[in-house]
Amino acid sequence: MSDEPHADPRRRYSSPVVDGPGKSASRAMLRAVGFEDDDFCKPQVGIASTASQVTPCNSHIDELAEQARAGANEAGGKGVVFNTITISDGIANGTEGMKYSLVSREVIADSIETVAGCEGFDGLVAIGGCDKNMPGCMIGLARLDRPSVFVYGGTILPGDNHTDIVSVFEAMGAHSRGDIDLIALKQIEETAIPGPGACGGMYTANTMASAIEAMGMSLPGSSAQAAVSPAKKKDSKKAGAAVLNLLKHDIKPRDIMTKKAFENAITVVIALGGSTNAVLHLLAMASAANVKLSIDDFTRIGKKVPVIADLKPSGKYLMSELVAIGGIQPMMKILLKAGLLHGDCMTVTGKTLAQNLRSVKPYPKGQKIIQSLKKPIKKDSHLVVLYGNLAPEGAVAKITGKEGLSFTGTARPFDSEEKAMKAILAGKIKKGDVIVIRYEGPKGGPGMREMLGPTGAIMGAGLGNDVALITDGRFSGGTHGFVVGHITPEAYNGGPLAIVQDGDKITIDAESRELKLGISKAELKRRTAAWKKPKPNYITGVLAKYAHLTTSASQGAVTDANLDLG
C-alpha cells in the first residue's frame, strides 16, 4: 500500500494523486477499477483509445488499446485505458456534419489533455486511426509533454478490383454522368471497404501516420502495417513498453518534436505525395509543441525534395502494397543517405533516427512503388504554397504535374459546397471553368469542410484535366486534380475570394507560385468596399465556439492560440 510519498522520479504526476494517507479515497476509487497494492507504486500509463463503431478506421482499436495496456504492465507500469471521440470524414463528406470534422481534432486534443491532466498519468500511449484523431492525439501529447508514444491503427486492405473509398466517390460522379448504372455503383459500394483500417491510399490518414513516424513519435514501422495483422498488435504492445523506457530516460514529446523533426516529417510527406491536410495538421502540431513552423517552410523544403512514391490518389498503388515491400523505412534510409533527413533527431525508441534506420533493409529489386531519387515522379514538391491577390496570406495547392503546372479559366463562384455539388452533378460545369467554393473556411463554415464530393464528382464526370477548383475549405487526402485549398484570408473574414464574380479570369500557376484574380487593383478595392460580412451559420454549440476561437488555415486552424490572457 502506498502510504508515503514515492520517490520514483518516473511517478512525477501519479504520486501526488495516490501516495500517502491523505490519498486513501483516491486509492479506494482505483481499487474498484482493478488496482491492487503494488499498482500504486508503479508509473501510470494512460492509453488514449479512439475506438468506435463510427468508422472502420477505428473499429478495431479497442483491441490495440488492450495490447498497449498489456505492454505497459509487463514493462513494470500500470496501464489505464480511456477513450476519446472520433468522427468519419468518409461518412460525413458532402453533408453539414462534415463541419465537425476539423473541430473534432481540437475536441480530441482537449479531451486527452483533460483526462491525463486530471488523473495524473505519468506517460501516455495514444492510438489513432483516422484523419483528425491522429493530429488530435499528437496535439494533446505535445501540450501535456509527458513521455508518450503514438500508435497508428493501420491501413485497410484493398477492396475488389483494387478499389477504395475514393473509388466510390468517383463512381458516384460516373453514375451522375451516365457512364455506369446503379447496379455497378452498388457493387463498388459493397466491396470497396472490406473491413477495419484507414483509407487505403496515401490519403490523410496514411500521410499523417507516416509524418508522425518520420517525426520520431511512433515506433519504426508503425505507419506501414495493416490494421488487422499480428504486426499491428505487436506494435501496440511494444508502444506500451516503450513509454516505460521513455520515463526511465525522461524523454518527452517536445524533446522529440523539434524543428528538425518537423522538417523530417515534411520531407517524408512530400516524398510520399501526401495529403494537403498535412500542412494544416503539422502547423497545428508545431503550435502545440511551441515550434515555429510556417507554410513557407513547406516551400523551402519542397524545392529540394522530390515526389518518389507512386501511390493513390495521383498514382497507382495502395498503402497495403507499400506495406508488403517494407513500408516507409527503406525510403527514409534513402532520403537520409541523400542528406534530405536529419539523422540526429531523437525518437521514441530512445535512439536517433539514423540509429533506427541503420539495420533497415532496402526495398526488393523490381518493386515499382518507390522510384529512384534520380528519376522521381516529380522533381520537387507537389504541395505548392501560392500567394497573390486571391491569397495574400497564402493557399495550398496539390499539383503533381500530371495536371500541368498552370491553369487559367473562368470563375464559377458558389457560396457553399452544396451549391457547387448541385451544379457539377447537373452538368453545368464546363471545360475551362474554375469552380470557386467559398465561405467554407475555419470560421465561415465553420470547420473548413473537405471538398472530396465535388472533386470526386469532377473526376467521375471526366473533367479532371479540364476544370480547376479553389476554396477556403480544404481537401481530402483522396483528392486529385487541379485544386487549391486553405485560401487565406478566408471569404468570411473578407478575403478576396469573397468578391470573385461569375466570369472573372483566375490563374493558378505552380511555377510562379501565384493565385491571381484577373481584375484591376481599383476594381478589387471597389468590390471589397461593397462586400458585407454574412451572418454566422452557428451562434451556439461547439461549432460556434470553434469559429470564435480558431486561427486561420495558414496558422493551422487551432483554437488555443488566440486566447486573451491579459
Side-chain angles (χ1 to χ4, degrees), residues 303-340:
K303 288 179 179 179
K304 61 181 181 179
V305 178
V307 179
I308 58 174
D310 190 12
L311 293 164
K312 283 191 173 188
S314 298
K316 299 177 183 177
Y317 298 98
L318 291 166
M319 188 66 178
S320 57
E321 293 165 302
L322 181 59
V323 170
I325 64 167
I328 70 168
Q329 290 275 301
M331 185 192 76
M332 288 173 63
K333 193 168 186 176
I334 292 168
L335 295 170
L336 178 66
K337 188 176 180 181
L340 296 173

PDB file of all heavy atoms in Angstrom, residues 303-340:
ATOM      1  N   LYS A 303      11.489  22.600 -52.379  1.00  0.00           N
ATOM      2  CA  LYS A 303      12.345  22.900 -53.521  1.00  0.00           C
ATOM      3  C   LYS A 303      13.438  21.853 -53.721  1.00  0.00           C
ATOM      4  O   LYS A 303      13.962  21.706 -54.828  1.00  0.00           O
ATOM      5  CB  LYS A 303      12.985  24.289 -53.339  1.00  0.00           C
ATOM      6  CG  LYS A 303      12.000  25.436 -53.516  1.00  0.00           C
ATOM      7  CD  LYS A 303      12.681  26.775 -53.296  1.00  0.00           C
ATOM      8  CE  LYS A 303      11.690  27.931 -53.487  1.00  0.00           C
ATOM      9  NZ  LYS A 303      12.337  29.250 -53.244  1.00  0.00           N
ATOM     10  N   LYS A 304      13.769  21.114 -52.660  1.00  0.00           N
ATOM     11  CA  LYS A 304      14.863  20.148 -52.773  1.00  0.00           C
ATOM     12  C   LYS A 304      14.423  18.695 -52.597  1.00  0.00           C
ATOM     13  O   LYS A 304      15.236  17.782 -52.776  1.00  0.00           O
ATOM     14  CB  LYS A 304      15.949  20.475 -51.744  1.00  0.00           C
ATOM     15  CG  LYS A 304      15.486  20.405 -50.291  1.00  0.00           C
ATOM     16  CD  LYS A 304      16.612  20.776 -49.335  1.00  0.00           C
ATOM     17  CE  LYS A 304      16.155  20.683 -47.879  1.00  0.00           C
ATOM     18  NZ  LYS A 304      17.231  21.027 -46.936  1.00  0.00           N
ATOM     19  N   VAL A 305      13.153  18.477 -52.250  1.00  0.00           N
ATOM     20  CA  VAL A 305      12.670  17.108 -52.021  1.00  0.00           C
ATOM     21  C   VAL A 305      11.729  16.695 -53.150  1.00  0.00           C
ATOM     22  O   VAL A 305      10.730  17.369 -53.402  1.00  0.00           O
ATOM     23  CB  VAL A 305      11.935  16.982 -50.672  1.00  0.00           C
ATOM     24  CG1 VAL A 305      11.409  15.561 -50.481  1.00  0.00           C
ATOM     25  CG2 VAL A 305      12.865  17.360 -49.523  1.00  0.00           C
ATOM     26  N   PRO A 306      12.000  15.596 -53.829  1.00  0.00           N
ATOM     27  CA  PRO A 306      11.133  15.142 -54.920  1.00  0.00           C
ATOM     28  C   PRO A 306      10.027  14.212 -54.432  1.00  0.00           C
ATOM     29  O   PRO A 306      10.096  13.657 -53.336  1.00  0.00           O
ATOM     30  CB  PRO A 306      12.105  14.368 -55.815  1.00  0.00           C
ATOM     31  CG  PRO A 306      13.082  13.775 -54.841  1.00  0.00           C
ATOM     32  CD  PRO A 306      13.229  14.780 -53.725  1.00  0.00           C
ATOM     33  N   VAL A 307       9.012  14.046 -55.261  1.00  0.00           N
ATOM     34  CA  VAL A 307       7.981  13.033 -55.037  1.00  0.00           C
ATOM     35  C   VAL A 307       8.476  11.739 -55.669  1.00  0.00           C
ATOM     36  O   VAL A 307       8.769  11.696 -56.864  1.00  0.00           O
ATOM     37  CB  VAL A 307       6.633  13.440 -55.676  1.00  0.00           C
ATOM     38  CG1 VAL A 307       5.578  12.355 -55.448  1.00  0.00           C
ATOM     39  CG2 VAL A 307       6.157  14.775 -55.110  1.00  0.00           C
ATOM     40  N   ILE A 308       8.583  10.674 -54.876  1.00  0.00           N
ATOM     41  CA  ILE A 308       9.122   9.420 -55.408  1.00  0.00           C
ATOM     42  C   ILE A 308       8.189   8.223 -55.212  1.00  0.00           C
ATOM     43  O   ILE A 308       8.498   7.119 -55.680  1.00  0.00           O
ATOM     44  CB  ILE A 308      10.510   9.096 -54.808  1.00  0.00           C
ATOM     45  CG1 ILE A 308      10.460   9.001 -53.281  1.00  0.00           C
ATOM     46  CG2 ILE A 308      11.532  10.117 -55.261  1.00  0.00           C
ATOM     47  CD1 ILE A 308      11.779   8.546 -52.653  1.00  0.00           C
ATOM     48  N   ALA A 309       7.041   8.421 -54.551  1.00  0.00           N
ATOM     49  CA  ALA A 309       6.122   7.308 -54.300  1.00  0.00           C
ATOM     50  C   ALA A 309       4.945   7.346 -55.277  1.00  0.00           C
ATOM     51  O   ALA A 309       4.256   8.362 -55.388  1.00  0.00           O
ATOM     52  CB  ALA A 309       5.605   7.360 -52.870  1.00  0.00           C
ATOM     53  N   ASP A 310       4.719   6.254 -55.950  1.00  0.00           N
ATOM     54  CA  ASP A 310       3.634   6.154 -56.936  1.00  0.00           C
ATOM     55  C   ASP A 310       2.386   5.588 -56.254  1.00  0.00           C
ATOM     56  O   ASP A 310       1.964   4.464 -56.497  1.00  0.00           O
ATOM     57  CB  ASP A 310       4.068   5.255 -58.091  1.00  0.00           C
ATOM     58  CG  ASP A 310       3.102   5.306 -59.264  1.00  0.00           C
ATOM     59  OD1 ASP A 310       2.230   6.195 -59.280  1.00  0.00           O
ATOM     60  OD2 ASP A 310       3.205   4.439 -60.156  1.00  0.00           O
ATOM     61  N   LEU A 311       1.805   6.405 -55.378  1.00  0.00           N
ATOM     62  CA  LEU A 311       0.682   5.964 -54.557  1.00  0.00           C
ATOM     63  C   LEU A 311      -0.587   6.730 -54.892  1.00  0.00           C
ATOM     64  O   LEU A 311      -0.541   7.889 -55.319  1.00  0.00           O
ATOM     65  CB  LEU A 311       1.021   6.168 -53.075  1.00  0.00           C
ATOM     66  CG  LEU A 311       2.156   5.285 -52.522  1.00  0.00           C
ATOM     67  CD1 LEU A 311       2.654   5.837 -51.198  1.00  0.00           C
ATOM     68  CD2 LEU A 311       1.679   3.843 -52.355  1.00  0.00           C
ATOM     69  N   LYS A 312      -1.730   6.087 -54.697  1.00  0.00           N
ATOM     70  CA  LYS A 312      -3.004   6.778 -54.876  1.00  0.00           C
ATOM     71  C   LYS A 312      -3.082   7.944 -53.887  1.00  0.00           C
ATOM     72  O   LYS A 312      -2.509   7.875 -52.809  1.00  0.00           O
ATOM     73  CB  LYS A 312      -4.162   5.802 -54.622  1.00  0.00           C
ATOM     74  CG  LYS A 312      -4.416   4.842 -55.770  1.00  0.00           C
ATOM     75  CD  LYS A 312      -5.740   4.104 -55.553  1.00  0.00           C
ATOM     76  CE  LYS A 312      -6.122   3.263 -56.764  1.00  0.00           C
ATOM     77  NZ  LYS A 312      -7.471   2.710 -56.639  1.00  0.00           N
ATOM     78  N   PRO A 313      -3.767   9.053 -54.265  1.00  0.00           N
ATOM     79  CA  PRO A 313      -4.740   9.154 -55.350  1.00  0.00           C
ATOM     80  C   PRO A 313      -4.166   9.505 -56.724  1.00  0.00           C
ATOM     81  O   PRO A 313      -4.788   9.221 -57.736  1.00  0.00           O
ATOM     82  CB  PRO A 313      -5.647  10.289 -54.877  1.00  0.00           C
ATOM     83  CG  PRO A 313      -4.732  11.172 -54.100  1.00  0.00           C
ATOM     84  CD  PRO A 313      -3.800  10.247 -53.398  1.00  0.00           C
ATOM     85  N   SER A 314      -2.989  10.130 -56.761  1.00  0.00           N
ATOM     86  CA  SER A 314      -2.450  10.525 -58.062  1.00  0.00           C
ATOM     87  C   SER A 314      -1.722   9.383 -58.749  1.00  0.00           C
ATOM     88  O   SER A 314      -1.557   9.394 -59.965  1.00  0.00           O
ATOM     89  CB  SER A 314      -1.503  11.723 -57.894  1.00  0.00           C
ATOM     90  OG  SER A 314      -2.199  12.833 -57.368  1.00  0.00           O
ATOM     91  N   GLY A 315      -1.270   8.402 -57.966  1.00  0.00           N
ATOM     92  CA  GLY A 315      -0.519   7.283 -58.520  1.00  0.00           C
ATOM     93  C   GLY A 315      -1.332   6.013 -58.627  1.00  0.00           C
ATOM     94  O   GLY A 315      -2.563   6.033 -58.626  1.00  0.00           O
ATOM     95  N   LYS A 316      -0.631   4.878 -58.659  1.00  0.00           N
ATOM     96  CA  LYS A 316      -1.270   3.595 -58.952  1.00  0.00           C
ATOM     97  C   LYS A 316      -1.529   2.728 -57.726  1.00  0.00           C
ATOM     98  O   LYS A 316      -2.485   1.959 -57.701  1.00  0.00           O
ATOM     99  CB  LYS A 316      -0.379   2.789 -59.911  1.00  0.00           C
ATOM    100  CG  LYS A 316      -0.125   3.434 -61.253  1.00  0.00           C
ATOM    101  CD  LYS A 316       0.842   2.563 -62.076  1.00  0.00           C
ATOM    102  CE  LYS A 316       1.185   3.226 -63.407  1.00  0.00           C
ATOM    103  NZ  LYS A 316       2.176   2.401 -64.164  1.00  0.00           N
ATOM    104  N   TYR A 317      -0.667   2.829 -56.711  1.00  0.00           N
ATOM    105  CA  TYR A 317      -0.628   1.790 -55.691  1.00  0.00           C
ATOM    106  C   TYR A 317      -1.288   2.214 -54.381  1.00  0.00           C
ATOM    107  O   TYR A 317      -1.427   3.401 -54.074  1.00  0.00           O
ATOM    108  CB  TYR A 317       0.824   1.366 -55.434  1.00  0.00           C
ATOM    109  CG  TYR A 317       1.479   0.777 -56.664  1.00  0.00           C
ATOM    110  CD1 TYR A 317       2.302   1.558 -57.482  1.00  0.00           C
ATOM    111  CD2 TYR A 317       1.253  -0.541 -57.029  1.00  0.00           C
ATOM    112  CE1 TYR A 317       2.896   1.029 -58.620  1.00  0.00           C
ATOM    113  CE2 TYR A 317       1.841  -1.080 -58.172  1.00  0.00           C
ATOM    114  CZ  TYR A 317       2.659  -0.291 -58.955  1.00  0.00           C
ATOM    115  OH  TYR A 317       3.242  -0.804 -60.089  1.00  0.00           O
ATOM    116  N   LEU A 318      -1.653   1.195 -53.583  1.00  0.00           N
ATOM    117  CA  LEU A 318      -2.275   1.400 -52.283  1.00  0.00           C
ATOM    118  C   LEU A 318      -1.253   1.206 -51.162  1.00  0.00           C
ATOM    119  O   LEU A 318      -0.210   0.588 -51.359  1.00  0.00           O
ATOM    120  CB  LEU A 318      -3.433   0.422 -52.093  1.00  0.00           C
ATOM    121  CG  LEU A 318      -4.654   0.670 -52.995  1.00  0.00           C
ATOM    122  CD1 LEU A 318      -5.580  -0.529 -52.968  1.00  0.00           C
ATOM    123  CD2 LEU A 318      -5.392   1.937 -52.561  1.00  0.00           C
ATOM    124  N   MET A 319      -1.586   1.705 -49.992  1.00  0.00           N
ATOM    125  CA  MET A 319      -0.680   1.595 -48.846  1.00  0.00           C
ATOM    126  C   MET A 319      -0.385   0.141 -48.507  1.00  0.00           C
ATOM    127  O   MET A 319       0.741  -0.192 -48.110  1.00  0.00           O
ATOM    128  CB  MET A 319      -1.285   2.307 -47.633  1.00  0.00           C
ATOM    129  CG  MET A 319      -0.349   2.428 -46.448  1.00  0.00           C
ATOM    130  SD  MET A 319       1.060   3.509 -46.837  1.00  0.00           S
ATOM    131  CE  MET A 319       1.930   3.517 -45.267  1.00  0.00           C
ATOM    132  N   SER A 320      -1.363  -0.728 -48.651  1.00  0.00           N
ATOM    133  CA  SER A 320      -1.149  -2.145 -48.349  1.00  0.00           C
ATOM    134  C   SER A 320      -0.038  -2.741 -49.217  1.00  0.00           C
ATOM    135  O   SER A 320       0.693  -3.644 -48.782  1.00  0.00           O
ATOM    136  CB  SER A 320      -2.451  -2.933 -48.557  1.00  0.00           C
ATOM    137  OG  SER A 320      -2.940  -2.757 -49.879  1.00  0.00           O
ATOM    138  N   GLU A 321       0.119  -2.216 -50.418  1.00  0.00           N
ATOM    139  CA  GLU A 321       1.185  -2.692 -51.306  1.00  0.00           C
ATOM    140  C   GLU A 321       2.549  -2.139 -50.892  1.00  0.00           C
ATOM    141  O   GLU A 321       3.574  -2.806 -51.059  1.00  0.00           O
ATOM    142  CB  GLU A 321       0.845  -2.321 -52.745  1.00  0.00           C
ATOM    143  CG  GLU A 321      -0.380  -3.082 -53.258  1.00  0.00           C
ATOM    144  CD  GLU A 321      -0.967  -2.510 -54.532  1.00  0.00           C
ATOM    145  OE1 GLU A 321      -1.337  -1.311 -54.526  1.00  0.00           O
ATOM    146  OE2 GLU A 321      -1.058  -3.253 -55.521  1.00  0.00           O
ATOM    147  N   LEU A 322       2.552  -0.922 -50.329  1.00  0.00           N
ATOM    148  CA  LEU A 322       3.793  -0.382 -49.780  1.00  0.00           C
ATOM    149  C   LEU A 322       4.189  -1.159 -48.521  1.00  0.00           C
ATOM    150  O   LEU A 322       5.373  -1.424 -48.291  1.00  0.00           O
ATOM    151  CB  LEU A 322       3.631   1.111 -49.465  1.00  0.00           C
ATOM    152  CG  LEU A 322       4.851   1.835 -48.893  1.00  0.00           C
ATOM    153  CD1 LEU A 322       6.035   1.761 -49.849  1.00  0.00           C
ATOM    154  CD2 LEU A 322       4.527   3.284 -48.562  1.00  0.00           C
ATOM    155  N   VAL A 323       3.195  -1.530 -47.716  1.00  0.00           N
ATOM    156  CA  VAL A 323       3.454  -2.356 -46.529  1.00  0.00           C
ATOM    157  C   VAL A 323       4.177  -3.646 -46.932  1.00  0.00           C
ATOM    158  O   VAL A 323       5.140  -4.071 -46.287  1.00  0.00           O
ATOM    159  CB  VAL A 323       2.140  -2.691 -45.794  1.00  0.00           C
ATOM    160  CG1 VAL A 323       2.369  -3.742 -44.706  1.00  0.00           C
ATOM    161  CG2 VAL A 323       1.511  -1.435 -45.199  1.00  0.00           C
ATOM    162  N   ALA A 324       3.725  -4.245 -48.022  1.00  0.00           N
ATOM    163  CA  ALA A 324       4.255  -5.539 -48.462  1.00  0.00           C
ATOM    164  C   ALA A 324       5.731  -5.483 -48.865  1.00  0.00           C
ATOM    165  O   ALA A 324       6.430  -6.499 -48.819  1.00  0.00           O
ATOM    166  CB  ALA A 324       3.424  -6.074 -49.631  1.00  0.00           C
ATOM    167  N   ILE A 325       6.221  -4.306 -49.233  1.00  0.00           N
ATOM    168  CA  ILE A 325       7.633  -4.213 -49.637  1.00  0.00           C
ATOM    169  C   ILE A 325       8.512  -3.566 -48.571  1.00  0.00           C
ATOM    170  O   ILE A 325       9.695  -3.324 -48.795  1.00  0.00           O
ATOM    171  CB  ILE A 325       7.793  -3.453 -50.977  1.00  0.00           C
ATOM    172  CG1 ILE A 325       7.340  -2.002 -50.860  1.00  0.00           C
ATOM    173  CG2 ILE A 325       7.054  -4.183 -52.099  1.00  0.00           C
ATOM    174  CD1 ILE A 325       7.761  -1.132 -52.038  1.00  0.00           C
ATOM    175  N   GLY A 326       7.930  -3.277 -47.400  1.00  0.00           N
ATOM    176  CA  GLY A 326       8.769  -2.756 -46.322  1.00  0.00           C
ATOM    177  C   GLY A 326       8.374  -1.426 -45.743  1.00  0.00           C
ATOM    178  O   GLY A 326       9.046  -0.909 -44.847  1.00  0.00           O
ATOM    179  N   GLY A 327       7.276  -0.818 -46.235  1.00  0.00           N
ATOM    180  CA  GLY A 327       6.809   0.442 -45.668  1.00  0.00           C
ATOM    181  C   GLY A 327       7.683   1.625 -46.017  1.00  0.00           C
ATOM    182  O   GLY A 327       8.345   1.656 -47.051  1.00  0.00           O
ATOM    183  N   ILE A 328       7.716   2.603 -45.116  1.00  0.00           N
ATOM    184  CA  ILE A 328       8.448   3.837 -45.417  1.00  0.00           C
ATOM    185  C   ILE A 328       9.884   3.822 -44.909  1.00  0.00           C
ATOM    186  O   ILE A 328      10.673   4.706 -45.258  1.00  0.00           O
ATOM    187  CB  ILE A 328       7.726   5.086 -44.870  1.00  0.00           C
ATOM    188  CG1 ILE A 328       7.779   5.133 -43.337  1.00  0.00           C
ATOM    189  CG2 ILE A 328       6.289   5.140 -45.377  1.00  0.00           C
ATOM    190  CD1 ILE A 328       7.345   6.482 -42.770  1.00  0.00           C
ATOM    191  N   GLN A 329      10.257   2.836 -44.076  1.00  0.00           N
ATOM    192  CA  GLN A 329      11.601   2.835 -43.507  1.00  0.00           C
ATOM    193  C   GLN A 329      12.709   2.770 -44.569  1.00  0.00           C
ATOM    194  O   GLN A 329      13.668   3.561 -44.501  1.00  0.00           O
ATOM    195  CB  GLN A 329      11.728   1.682 -42.515  1.00  0.00           C
ATOM    196  CG  GLN A 329      10.914   1.869 -41.245  1.00  0.00           C
ATOM    197  CD  GLN A 329      11.646   2.698 -40.202  1.00  0.00           C
ATOM    198  OE1 GLN A 329      12.735   2.338 -39.775  1.00  0.00           O
ATOM    199  NE2 GLN A 329      11.062   3.811 -39.823  1.00  0.00           N
ATOM    200  N   PRO A 330      12.628   1.875 -45.560  1.00  0.00           N
ATOM    201  CA  PRO A 330      13.673   1.881 -46.594  1.00  0.00           C
ATOM    202  C   PRO A 330      13.734   3.204 -47.361  1.00  0.00           C
ATOM    203  O   PRO A 330      14.822   3.662 -47.742  1.00  0.00           O
ATOM    204  CB  PRO A 330      13.271   0.722 -47.514  1.00  0.00           C
ATOM    205  CG  PRO A 330      12.445  -0.178 -46.643  1.00  0.00           C
ATOM    206  CD  PRO A 330      11.695   0.746 -45.742  1.00  0.00           C
ATOM    207  N   MET A 331      12.579   3.829 -47.592  1.00  0.00           N
ATOM    208  CA  MET A 331      12.562   5.120 -48.265  1.00  0.00           C
ATOM    209  C   MET A 331      13.236   6.180 -47.409  1.00  0.00           C
ATOM    210  O   MET A 331      14.009   7.020 -47.915  1.00  0.00           O
ATOM    211  CB  MET A 331      11.118   5.540 -48.582  1.00  0.00           C
ATOM    212  CG  MET A 331      11.035   6.831 -49.384  1.00  0.00           C
ATOM    213  SD  MET A 331       9.369   7.531 -49.474  1.00  0.00           S
ATOM    214  CE  MET A 331       9.229   8.252 -47.828  1.00  0.00           C
ATOM    215  N   MET A 332      12.965   6.150 -46.111  1.00  0.00           N
ATOM    216  CA  MET A 332      13.611   7.107 -45.212  1.00  0.00           C
ATOM    217  C   MET A 332      15.127   6.917 -45.203  1.00  0.00           C
ATOM    218  O   MET A 332      15.883   7.900 -45.123  1.00  0.00           O
ATOM    219  CB  MET A 332      13.035   6.966 -43.802  1.00  0.00           C
ATOM    220  CG  MET A 332      11.613   7.496 -43.669  1.00  0.00           C
ATOM    221  SD  MET A 332      10.869   7.155 -42.053  1.00  0.00           S
ATOM    222  CE  MET A 332      11.956   8.079 -40.978  1.00  0.00           C
ATOM    223  N   LYS A 333      15.571   5.688 -45.303  1.00  0.00           N
ATOM    224  CA  LYS A 333      17.012   5.434 -45.351  1.00  0.00           C
ATOM    225  C   LYS A 333      17.622   6.022 -46.621  1.00  0.00           C
ATOM    226  O   LYS A 333      18.737   6.576 -46.596  1.00  0.00           O
ATOM    227  CB  LYS A 333      17.280   3.930 -45.269  1.00  0.00           C
ATOM    228  CG  LYS A 333      18.732   3.581 -45.005  1.00  0.00           C
ATOM    229  CD  LYS A 333      18.909   2.119 -44.642  1.00  0.00           C
ATOM    230  CE  LYS A 333      20.350   1.804 -44.242  1.00  0.00           C
ATOM    231  NZ  LYS A 333      20.501   0.408 -43.806  1.00  0.00           N
ATOM    232  N   ILE A 334      16.884   5.928 -47.735  1.00  0.00           N
ATOM    233  CA  ILE A 334      17.331   6.539 -48.996  1.00  0.00           C
ATOM    234  C   ILE A 334      17.434   8.052 -48.836  1.00  0.00           C
ATOM    235  O   ILE A 334      18.416   8.681 -49.252  1.00  0.00           O
ATOM    236  CB  ILE A 334      16.351   6.189 -50.134  1.00  0.00           C
ATOM    237  CG1 ILE A 334      16.416   4.689 -50.462  1.00  0.00           C
ATOM    238  CG2 ILE A 334      16.648   7.020 -51.387  1.00  0.00           C
ATOM    239  CD1 ILE A 334      15.291   4.207 -51.357  1.00  0.00           C
ATOM    240  N   LEU A 335      16.414   8.652 -48.224  1.00  0.00           N
ATOM    241  CA  LEU A 335      16.388  10.100 -48.023  1.00  0.00           C
ATOM    242  C   LEU A 335      17.502  10.540 -47.079  1.00  0.00           C
ATOM    243  O   LEU A 335      18.134  11.583 -47.290  1.00  0.00           O
ATOM    244  CB  LEU A 335      15.024  10.529 -47.474  1.00  0.00           C
ATOM    245  CG  LEU A 335      13.814  10.327 -48.400  1.00  0.00           C
ATOM    246  CD1 LEU A 335      12.518  10.571 -47.639  1.00  0.00           C
ATOM    247  CD2 LEU A 335      13.898  11.248 -49.616  1.00  0.00           C
ATOM    248  N   LEU A 336      17.758   9.745 -46.043  1.00  0.00           N
ATOM    249  CA  LEU A 336      18.826  10.069 -45.095  1.00  0.00           C
ATOM    250  C   LEU A 336      20.190  10.046 -45.785  1.00  0.00           C
ATOM    251  O   LEU A 336      21.010  10.955 -45.610  1.00  0.00           O
ATOM    252  CB  LEU A 336      18.800   9.074 -43.931  1.00  0.00           C
ATOM    253  CG  LEU A 336      19.894   9.252 -42.871  1.00  0.00           C
ATOM    254  CD1 LEU A 336      19.714  10.575 -42.127  1.00  0.00           C
ATOM    255  CD2 LEU A 336      19.887   8.085 -41.891  1.00  0.00           C
ATOM    256  N   LYS A 337      20.422   9.008 -46.584  1.00  0.00           N
ATOM    257  CA  LYS A 337      21.695   8.872 -47.293  1.00  0.00           C
ATOM    258  C   LYS A 337      21.919  10.033 -48.250  1.00  0.00           C
ATOM    259  O   LYS A 337      23.052  10.465 -48.474  1.00  0.00           O
ATOM    260  CB  LYS A 337      21.726   7.550 -48.051  1.00  0.00           C
ATOM    261  CG  LYS A 337      23.072   7.217 -48.667  1.00  0.00           C
ATOM    262  CD  LYS A 337      23.070   5.843 -49.324  1.00  0.00           C
ATOM    263  CE  LYS A 337      24.427   5.517 -49.936  1.00  0.00           C
ATOM    264  NZ  LYS A 337      24.416   4.177 -50.588  1.00  0.00           N
ATOM    265  N   ALA A 338      20.817  10.567 -48.800  1.00  0.00           N
ATOM    266  CA  ALA A 338      20.917  11.696 -49.730  1.00  0.00           C
ATOM    267  C   ALA A 338      21.018  13.038 -49.023  1.00  0.00           C
ATOM    268  O   ALA A 338      21.087  14.085 -49.680  1.00  0.00           O
ATOM    269  CB  ALA A 338      19.697  11.697 -50.656  1.00  0.00           C
ATOM    270  N   GLY A 339      21.008  13.015 -47.702  1.00  0.00           N
ATOM    271  CA  GLY A 339      21.128  14.253 -46.944  1.00  0.00           C
ATOM    272  C   GLY A 339      19.846  15.032 -46.813  1.00  0.00           C
ATOM    273  O   GLY A 339      19.869  16.226 -46.481  1.00  0.00           O
ATOM    274  N   LEU A 340      18.727  14.372 -47.039  1.00  0.00           N
ATOM    275  CA  LEU A 340      17.438  15.059 -47.002  1.00  0.00           C
ATOM    276  C   LEU A 340      16.714  14.914 -45.666  1.00  0.00           C
ATOM    277  O   LEU A 340      15.665  15.536 -45.458  1.00  0.00           O
ATOM    278  CB  LEU A 340      16.541  14.538 -48.132  1.00  0.00           C
ATOM    279  CG  LEU A 340      17.063  14.817 -49.547  1.00  0.00           C
ATOM    280  CD1 LEU A 340      16.189  14.121 -50.590  1.00  0.00           C
ATOM    281  CD2 LEU A 340      17.124  16.320 -49.810  1.00  0.00           C
TER     282      LEU A 340
END
